[in-house]
Amino acid sequence: MSVRSHRHLRRPMASARAIVGHRRSHGSDLLLATFLAAVAGCANAGGFFVLGAYTSHMTGWLSTLADEAALLNARLVAAALLAMVSFVAGAALGTMLINLGRQRDRRRQYALPIAAEGLLLLAFAGLAAAGAPGAAALAVLCLTMGLQNATITKISGARIRTTHATGMITDVGIELGRAAFRLIAPRSGVRANLGNLGILGRLLGAFLAGGLVGALGYRAVGALFTVPLAVLLLGLALPLILERRGA
């Protein structure tokens, strides 16, 4: 373990401030995005195991809405509407919490939505463990995914999103296409952004790793596997939230 890592372990406030503080850098954005991508992968796996659906996939829900409306399947139309409305509500909630933090104490503006995500994941675990109706668990998890996506979008200035992979995989294809075109026409001036490709690979790897861990965890212990994810998020956010102003 490096001296810097050991120092951060002994100073959780400094670590939390570096990751979710309002003074952003490319490195802190990438670190937080990687962490949240892994959490999103875990939560998405949980949604599939508990609900039989991927709760961050709004394209799928929109397609479901159209298909089932054509088939007059009111139950699935209602489920699709619930998922999308909850996702939008989560994005709105995340944006409101960031703006609230900016008005009251800029140091806490990003810690607030991350703490809210932790609490929502605890609520999802409780609902699923208690055998609550699937609609309630679906709404809470889609709310969580919308909140997370809006939060990292705001933090990174719309450079990064973490709850869905379609855009990132498309960007990987674009960079590979640029690299291939450069081989064909080396004097064209077109070149791949290898740095961006590395970031995309890192985020996709984190999402995949989170999904694998989540699938194994939910298969082993069910919805209670959400609790460690919530604890990680709260552990990241609470040091800043509980820090005395001016400290």
Side-chain angles (χ1 to χ4, degrees), residues 8 18 32-33 41 58 61 65 99 110 119 131 144 154 157 180 207 235:
H8 280 321
L32 180 59
M58 290 300 109
W61 283 113
L65 177 61
N99 288 325
Y110 300 128
L119 293 174
T144 306
K154 295 283 286 184
F207 192 92

Side-chain angles (χ1 to χ4, degrees), residues 159 165-176 196-197 200:
R159 297 193 306 273
T166 303
M168 290 189 286
I169 292 175
T170 301
D171 290 341
V172 168
I174 289 171
E175 298 301 341
L176 292 177
N196 190 41
L197 196 59
L200 293 167

Side-chain angles (χ1 to χ4, degrees), residues 5-245:
S5 297
H6 183 64
R7 184 165 60 247
H8 280 321
L9 286 176
R10 291 186 301 165
R11 299 177 59 199
M13 193 75 71
S15 299
R17 189 182 292 114
I19 298 173
V20 300
H22 71 282
R23 293 178 180 173
R24 308 305 303 166
S25 68
H26 177 75
S28 60
D29 283 353
L30 182 56
L31 182 60
L32 180 59
T34 302
F35 174 72
L36 291 181
V39 171
C42 279
N44 218 31
F48 183 78
F49 273 86
V50 176
L51 302 170
Y54 291 116
T55 51
S56 67
H57 188 43
M58 290 300 109
T59 304
W61 283 113
L62 188 60
S63 297
T64 297
L65 177 61
D67 293 343
E68 301 305 331
L71 296 173
L72 302 179
N73 189 331
R75 183 180 65 84
L76 289 180
V77 166
L81 284 172
L82 178 64
M84 290 188 294
V85 169
S86 299
F87 192 95
V88 171
L93 175 61
T95 303
M96 290 173 61
L97 288 173
I98 290 172
N99 288 325
L100 178 66
R102 284 175 179 169
Q103 286 188 340
R104 296 190 174 182
D105 187 349
R106 291 184 65 85
R107 296 174 303 168
R108 297 176 171 85
Q109 61 180 306
Y110 300 128
L112 291 174
I114 290 173
E117 182 179 349
L119 293 174
L120 285 169
L121 286 176
L122 285 178
F124 171 72
L127 287 169
L138 174 66
V140 170
L141 199 53
C142 287
L143 186 73
T144 306
M145 294 292 97
L147 185 148
Q148 186 196 113
N149 209 37
T151 300
I152 194 61
T153 298
K154 295 283 286 184
I155 288 174
S156 69
R159 297 193 306 273
I160 298 170
R161 289 178 171 85
T162 57
T163 61
H164 57 273
T166 303
M168 290 189 286
I169 292 175
T170 301
D171 290 341
V172 168
I174 289 171
E175 298 301 341
L176 292 177
R178 287 173 175 166
F181 186 77
R182 183 170 178 79
L183 291 175
I184 298 171
R187 297 181 180 179
S188 65
V190 176
R191 64 179 62 198
N193 186 333
L194 297 181
N196 190 41
L197 196 59
I199 291 171
L200 293 167
R202 176 171 171 169
L203 294 178
L204 289 169
F207 192 92
L208 176 61
L212 289 171
V213 171
L216 294 172
Y218 282 101
R219 184 177 181 182
V221 300
L224 290 179
F225 187 73
T226 309
V227 174
L229 302 180
V231 170
L232 284 172
L233 289 164
L234 291 170
L236 189 65
L238 287 180
L240 268 178
I241 293 175
L242 299 178
E243 182 183 19
R244 287 182 299 176
R245 194 164 188 167

